[in-house]
Amino acid sequence: MQDKPYQPNEVTNGYEYDRRKDTFSAPAISLEKERGASKSEKEDDVPTRGKWGKSIQSLMLCISMSVGLGNVWRFPNVAYNNGGGAFLIPYLLLLVIIGRPLYYLELILGQFSSQGPIKLWRVVPAFKGIGYAQVLSVSFVVVFYNYLMALSVFYIYSSMRTCLPWTDCNYPNLTANSSNITPAEYFWRNEVLEEDPENPDTFTHISWKLALCLFITWTLVYISVVQGTDSLGKMAYFTAIFPYVVLTALLIVALQEEGSLEGIKFFFKPELSKLKEITVWYRACEQSFFSLAIGYGNIVMIASYNKFTNNVYKDAIIISVLDTFTNVLAGSVIFAVLGTLAFQKDLPIDKVVNHQDLGLAFIIYPQALADIKIVPQLWSLLFFVMLFTLGIGSSMSQIETILTVIKDKFPNLRERKGYLALGVSVLFFLLGLPLTTNVGQHILVLLNNYGVGAAVYVYATLTVIGITWIYGIRNFSNDVRFMLGSTPSIFWKTTWTFTAPVALTVIFIYGNIPQEEGQKSSLPLWAEISGWVLAAAAVFQIPVWGAYVIYRNPEKTLMEKIRSSFRATKDWGPSDPEDKKSWLEMKRSPEEYKEKQRDVMFVSAVYNKSFEGDVF
């Protein structure tokens, strides 16, 4: 059937065609190309966007991204600080009504649009500041994730000694002199962090050993990233599977020790009075974000390289279940060892370790490794290699998120990925050096709590509001039906439109109200102020870019500018020309969907000058 000639400003079923170019769009989505023309000459020199070689690679990379340091390092620490079993109840509940639905939502958005976290917001242009804010928060995560990997490199080297340096053979007199500190904790604070007891909150020196480990880490990350999406996906096979082997072996060993079962009971038996504390719910929701990597743009980036018809529903279920299983497995290992230490010290489990900072995993895991009777050095080496691979799987995805934003804006840079990745790696290595100082743990906590934790609530809430309330759940559901062949169930629609945004808002507001008898913060004043500045720098991207979008809109009156800025641009939709053409044909032919006429989508195409001259 012959296409009818293009008519400027033609309106068909609510979709207004406009030839004027939106510079926010990718060249692959021009209307000329949709109407059957061959690839335009202007695109001949633009490198194409990569795709995963196999769907399983995307799944494995999502697993290595979501099943990472957030599970093995962060989850046990947060659970220990918030009542053990009492933490599991809100965590599992919020995972069902917030975590899993948002994870599925981000997978859909990335796969449907084939764009990174900034260009995705063609769907609601006024919200594109969310993408910039997410990239900034991902940058914060990249800084401290690679620092944690550097710590793993330090422990890998230390594991090669004849006597493990965090055992009694290295500190034979420690138990007699300091009954409340284990050799593992002593090694952590004095040999690794090089804390200054006389100036705990003041910068005095940098650890050259940690700085060297950080350099090695960034070198390996750079080599991994520069290989491209196909190599990234293949490496994920190892980074996604190997940790389960090591964690299972550690759990078996830990359960052999006396007192370990009491630790397991503490982990699974809730203290119901703790559920009244809003902080427990706040940290549980925050952990689901961090563990699943929701709200940072990473999942959108990974899914953007999927094939258009990939079954993301299956991926979302598999990954969320594996993530929960990994949290429980890692928590069981930690609490089994805590139970043993509590038995040996004759102390309550929640008093065994000074856990105000985020170093619990680097105290308890080495303790478990030291208790292994047969070649503990080998088990220690395997564990910290595992911890490093967990980190590198996540770090590669985070770096790729930042690179994707840049490459999507400047497609020609796809041919110069090596130089681009080198520049980004050097920059973040320098930004990570302050963490290698004697006050590095303060910086780690402020990056984790403020630069990441508080801000992600805002991103997640605005994302579900923008997609389901402004773009519309009916429009979005039909997009999903077009891509996957079926409409999302009532459960997904309810959680996206109501449960998630309401729960997120309530928990965020109450979680940030000062408690009457709140615990004293472990951070000095300068760190708390710095943390709120980082959070503000990220979150303020949203109103700033929103105002910019409205200001650059060509409509005459302010109300028209605002309305126009909250409508999808003509370039929203699938990036592949053939998929885009079919998608538009669905919009143009409502008679083919008579039984679902009430679901016909109305998308307003907007020429929005706010997209001219973007940084990305």
Side-chain angles (χ1 to χ4, degrees), residues 411-423:
N412 286 323
L413 289 179
R414 291 171 187 162
E415 291 184 334
R416 298 174 177 82
K417 182 177 179 179
Y419 296 106
L420 185 61
L422 178 61

Side-chain angles (χ1 to χ4, degrees), residues 167-312:
T167 57
D168 291 331
C169 68
N170 200 51
Y171 303 109
N173 300 320
L174 182 61
T175 304
N177 297 332
S178 306
S179 59
N180 289 329
I181 187 171
T182 64
E185 185 173 357
Y186 184 87
F187 176 77
W188 165 250
R189 300 195 179 282
N190 292 275
E191 300 294 332
V192 180
L193 301 182
E194 297 183 9
E195 290 182 345
D196 187 344
E198 298 181 358
N199 301 285
D201 301 332
T202 305
F203 166 74
T204 57
H205 68 282
I206 187 172
S207 170
W208 67 267
K209 292 179 290 186
L210 287 182
L212 178 61
C213 291
L214 186 65
F215 176 78
I216 294 172
T217 297
W218 272 110
T219 301
L220 294 175
V221 169
Y222 167 73
I223 294 172
S224 301
V225 170
V226 82
Q227 298 302 311
T229 56
D230 192 51
S231 298
L232 194 64
K234 291 177 180 177
M235 185 172 181
Y237 288 110
F238 176 75
T239 59
I241 297 172
F242 179 60
Y244 292 104
V245 178
V246 178
L247 284 176
T248 301
L250 278 180
L251 179 60
I252 293 172
V253 170
L255 289 175
Q256 306 303 312
E257 300 295 326
E258 194 167 2
S260 59
L261 291 180
E262 291 301 315
I264 297 293
K265 289 179 182 178
F266 182 84
F267 181 45
F268 287 102
K269 184 178 180 181
E271 183 183 342
L272 296 180
S273 61
K274 277 275 188 180
L275 297 179
K276 299 178 182 178
E277 300 178 13
I278 187 63
T279 303
V280 175
W281 292 83
Y282 185 89
R283 296 304 178 195
C285 188
E286 185 181 85
Q287 175 59 31
S288 70
F289 289 143
F290 198 93
S291 184
L292 284 170
I294 299 168
Y296 302 106
N298 303 330
I299 303 304
V300 171
M301 181 279 299
I302 293 174
S304 72
Y305 292 102
N306 284 350
K307 296 177 181 178
F308 188 72
T309 56
N310 180 56
N311 189 351
V312 286

Side-chain angles (χ1 to χ4, degrees), residues 462-476:
L462 290 180
T463 295
V464 290
I465 289 175
I467 297 300
T468 64
W469 292 9
I470 298 176
Y471 179 58
I473 187 62
R474 188 174 300 169
N475 284 339
F476 182 65

Side-chain angles (χ1 to χ4, degrees), residues 114-147:
S114 296
Q115 300 296 340
I118 293 179
K119 284 192 173 184
L120 162 70
W121 287 104
R122 298 171 184 158
V123 63
V124 183
F127 276 19
K128 75 171 182 177
I130 295 174
Y132 287 100
Q134 287 176 327
V135 171
L136 193 54
S137 286
V138 166
S139 300
F140 298 152
V141 178
V142 167
V143 170
F144 74 76
Y145 245 61
N146 283 271
Y147 166 70

